[in-house]
Amino acid sequence: MKLSRIISNQNGTSRKQASALIASGAIAIDGLRCHEPGREVTAFATVTRNGRIIQQGITAHYLMMNKPAGILSATSDPVHTTVIDLINSPTINNLHIAGRLDRASTGLLILTNDGQWSRRLTDPHLKKPKIYRVSTAGPITPETKKHFADGIWFDYEQLRTSPARLEVLGANFARVTIYEGRYHQIKRMFHAVGNRVTALHREQMGTITLDHTLPPGGYRPLTSGEVCSVTDKITAVKTKCGKASRR
Ligand code: URA
């Protein structure tokens, strides 16, 4: 929200009066004076007027989980256990999932309450890699690599997947890198070349790799380096994700 709107909402004044107040130097964001009425301010920023709090910034949370098989990538479900049910902290609320995994899939799952940040991680235009280890029912043919590199036609969406990288690790075992996150994408890509995925494990998103010390269902806060790797700039982020976050 624009700073002038925050001030006018809080004061019950016009946007013009709010802008004048901001121009006078009375307003600070996270302790730094701001003279720009048009500055976009997130819910994570604390805004003060002459030192008095107008908006208390909420804490941003960024977690990685080693998702176990059989757990739903959803925030709530009437029947099945969800990844949110595994997070045992009363202070971490309103998380969403940055790039779901199918119920049977395992590995790196990122959860946050920062929508702007998660969009940067998952936006296909920003081409952040998502790396998976894949086991298949049939042997992986030599042509599969080229098919994936050329893109696979998805009839339902009427589109071709963007070039994916296939690294064959064994007869029925590969590492696949994709740069988007379409519904059941890897399974459908293998299906399109006459094969079937039997196990899928995500190892990496962007430059964030799964912490191998996390047991299935375990999670930890992202480090500030991991958080900043998504926005590609060094920003002061609050990563107070609670203490006992491993299970
Ligand atoms: N592609 C899939 O098919 N499933 C996942 O869980 C992730 C990517």
Side-chain angles (χ1 to χ4, degrees), residues 1-2 7 11 20 36 44-45 54 62-64 81 93-94 110-111 135 148 154 179 184 203 206 210 214 244:
M1 193 185 293
K2 290 209 188 318
I7 305 298
N11 269 358
E36 296 165 47
F44 304 109
I54 290 176
Y62 308 89
L63 305 179
M64 77 156 72
T81 305
N93 301 309
N94 299 320
I110 293 181
L111 302 112
S135 302
F148 282 14
F154 278 0
Y179 297 88
H184 291 332
E203 297 182 321
L210 178 64
L214 289 175

Coordinates of all heavy atoms in Angstrom, one line a residue, residues 1-2 7 11 20 36 44-45 54 62-64 81 93-94 110-111 135 148 154 179 184 203 206 210 214 244:
M1 N 0.8 -1.2 0.0 CA 0.0 0.0 0.0 C 0.9 1.2 0.0 O 2.0 1.2 0.6 CB -0.9 0.0 1.3 CG -2.0 1.0 1.2 SD -2.9 1.1 2.8 CE -3.7 -0.5 2.8
K2 N 0.4 2.3 -0.7 CA 1.2 3.5 -0.7 C 1.3 4.2 0.7 O 0.3 4.1 1.4 CB 0.6 4.5 -1.7 CG 0.8 4.0 -3.1 CD 0.9 5.2 -4.1 CE 0.8 4.8 -5.6 NZ 1.7 3.6 -5.9
I7 N -1.1 6.6 5.9 CA -1.2 7.8 6.8 C -2.6 8.3 6.8 O -3.2 8.6 7.8 CB -0.2 8.9 6.4 CG1 1.2 8.4 6.3 CG2 -0.3 10.1 7.3 CD1 1.8 7.9 7.6
N11 N -5.0 8.5 10.0 CA -5.3 9.8 10.5 C -6.8 10.3 10.2 O -7.2 11.2 10.8 CB -4.4 10.8 9.9 CG -3.1 11.0 10.6 OD1 -3.0 10.4 11.7 ND2 -2.3 11.9 10.1
A20 N 1.5 15.9 2.5 CA 2.2 17.1 3.1 C 2.9 16.7 4.4 O 4.1 17.1 4.6 CB 1.2 18.2 3.4
E36 N 8.6 10.3 0.6 CA 7.9 10.0 -0.7 C 6.5 9.4 -0.4 O 6.4 8.3 0.0 CB 8.6 8.8 -1.4 CG 10.0 9.2 -1.9 CD 10.7 7.9 -2.3 OE1 10.1 7.0 -3.0 OE2 11.9 7.7 -1.8
F44 N 5.1 -5.8 6.3 CA 6.3 -6.1 7.1 C 7.0 -4.9 7.7 O 8.0 -5.1 8.4 CB 7.2 -7.0 6.3 CG 6.5 -8.3 5.8 CD1 6.3 -8.4 4.4 CD2 6.1 -9.2 6.6 CE1 5.6 -9.5 3.9 CE2 5.4 -10.3 6.1 CZ 5.1 -10.5 4.8
A45 N 6.7 -3.7 7.2 CA 7.4 -2.5 7.6 C 6.7 -1.8 8.7 O 5.5 -1.8 8.8 CB 7.5 -1.6 6.4
I54 N 2.5 4.0 13.8 CA 1.2 4.0 13.0 C 0.9 2.6 12.5 O -0.3 2.2 12.4 CB 1.4 5.0 11.8 CG1 1.4 6.4 12.4 CG2 0.3 4.9 10.8 CD1 1.7 7.5 11.4
Y62 N 9.9 -17.3 6.6 CA 10.4 -18.1 5.4 C 10.9 -19.4 6.0 O 11.9 -19.5 6.7 CB 11.5 -17.4 4.7 CG 11.2 -15.9 4.4 CD1 11.5 -14.9 5.3 CD2 10.6 -15.6 3.2 CE1 11.2 -13.6 5.0 CE2 10.3 -14.2 2.9 CZ 10.6 -13.3 3.8 OH 10.3 -11.9 3.5
L63 N 10.2 -20.5 5.6 CA 10.6 -21.8 6.1 C 10.9 -22.8 4.9 O 10.3 -22.7 3.9 CB 9.5 -22.5 6.9 CG 8.9 -21.7 8.1 CD1 7.8 -22.6 8.7 CD2 10.0 -21.4 9.1
M64 N 11.8 -23.7 5.2 CA 11.9 -24.8 4.2 C 11.6 -26.1 5.0 O 11.9 -26.2 6.2 CB 13.3 -25.0 3.6 CG 14.4 -25.6 4.5 SD 15.7 -26.3 3.5 CE 16.6 -24.9 2.9
T81 N -3.9 -34.9 6.4 CA -2.9 -34.1 7.1 C -2.2 -33.2 6.0 O -1.8 -33.6 4.9 CB -1.8 -35.0 7.7 OG1 -2.5 -35.9 8.6 CG2 -0.9 -34.1 8.6
N93 N 2.0 -17.8 11.6 CA 0.6 -17.9 11.0 C 0.6 -17.5 9.6 O 1.5 -16.9 9.1 CB -0.3 -17.0 11.8 CG -0.4 -17.4 13.2 OD1 -0.6 -18.5 13.6 ND2 -0.1 -16.4 14.1
N94 N -0.5 -17.8 8.9 CA -0.8 -17.3 7.6 C 0.3 -17.6 6.5 O 0.6 -16.9 5.6 CB -0.9 -15.7 7.6 CG -2.1 -15.3 8.5 OD1 -3.1 -16.0 8.4 ND2 -1.9 -14.2 9.2
I110 N 8.8 -24.9 0.3 CA 9.1 -23.6 0.9 C 7.7 -22.9 1.3 O 6.8 -22.9 0.5 CB 9.9 -22.7 0.0 CG1 11.3 -23.3 -0.1 CG2 10.0 -21.3 0.5 CD1 12.3 -22.6 -1.0
L111 N 7.7 -22.5 2.5 CA 6.5 -21.8 3.1 C 6.8 -20.4 3.6 O 7.9 -20.2 4.2 CB 5.9 -22.7 4.2 CG 5.6 -24.1 3.8 CD1 6.5 -25.1 4.5 CD2 4.1 -24.4 4.2
S135 N 12.3 -41.0 -10.3 CA 12.4 -42.4 -10.7 C 11.3 -42.8 -11.6 O 10.2 -42.2 -11.4 CB 12.3 -43.3 -9.4 OG 13.3 -43.0 -8.5
F148 N 12.5 -33.2 -23.9 CA 12.3 -32.2 -22.7 C 13.0 -30.9 -23.1 O 12.4 -29.8 -22.7 CB 13.0 -32.8 -21.5 CG 12.1 -33.8 -20.8 CD1 11.0 -34.4 -21.4 CD2 12.4 -34.2 -19.5 CE1 10.3 -35.4 -20.8 CE2 11.7 -35.2 -18.8 CZ 10.6 -35.8 -19.5
F154 N 1.4 -29.4 -23.9 CA 0.4 -29.7 -23.0 C -1.0 -29.3 -23.6 O -1.3 -28.1 -23.7 CB 0.6 -29.0 -21.7 CG 1.6 -29.6 -20.7 CD1 2.2 -30.8 -21.0 CD2 1.9 -29.0 -19.5 CE1 3.1 -31.4 -20.1 CE2 2.8 -29.6 -18.6 CZ 3.4 -30.8 -18.9
Y179 N 11.7 -24.7 -15.3 CA 11.8 -23.3 -14.9 C 10.4 -22.7 -14.7 O 10.2 -21.5 -14.8 CB 12.6 -22.5 -16.0 CG 14.0 -23.0 -16.1 CD1 14.3 -24.1 -16.9 CD2 15.0 -22.4 -15.3 CE1 15.6 -24.5 -17.0 CE2 16.3 -22.9 -15.3 CZ 16.6 -23.9 -16.2 OH 17.9 -24.4 -16.2
H184 N 1.2 -31.0 -12.1 CA 1.8 -32.3 -12.3 C 2.8 -32.3 -13.5 O 2.9 -33.2 -14.3 CB 0.7 -33.3 -12.7 CG -0.3 -33.7 -11.6 ND1 0.1 -33.6 -10.3 CD2 -1.6 -34.1 -11.7 CE1 -1.0 -34.0 -9.6 NE2 -2.0 -34.3 -10.4
E203 N 14.8 -31.2 -5.1 CA 16.1 -31.0 -4.4 C 16.4 -29.5 -4.3 O 17.1 -29.0 -3.3 CB 17.3 -31.5 -5.2 CG 17.2 -33.0 -5.4 CD 18.4 -33.5 -6.2 OE1 18.8 -32.8 -7.2 OE2 19.0 -34.5 -5.9
G206 N 15.3 -22.2 -7.2 CA 16.2 -21.1 -7.3 C 17.6 -21.6 -6.9 O 18.0 -22.7 -7.4
L210 N 17.6 -28.3 -0.6 CA 17.1 -28.9 0.6 C 18.2 -29.2 1.6 O 19.2 -29.8 1.2 CB 16.4 -30.2 0.2 CG 15.8 -31.0 1.3 CD1 14.7 -30.3 2.0 CD2 15.3 -32.4 0.8
L214 N 17.6 -32.3 7.5 CA 16.1 -32.3 7.9 C 15.5 -33.6 7.7 O 15.6 -34.1 6.5 CB 15.3 -31.2 7.1 CG 15.6 -29.8 7.3 CD1 14.8 -28.9 6.3 CD2 15.2 -29.4 8.8
A244 N 12.3 -23.5 18.2 CA 12.4 -24.9 18.0 C 11.6 -25.3 16.7 O 10.5 -25.8 16.8 CB 11.8 -25.7 19.2

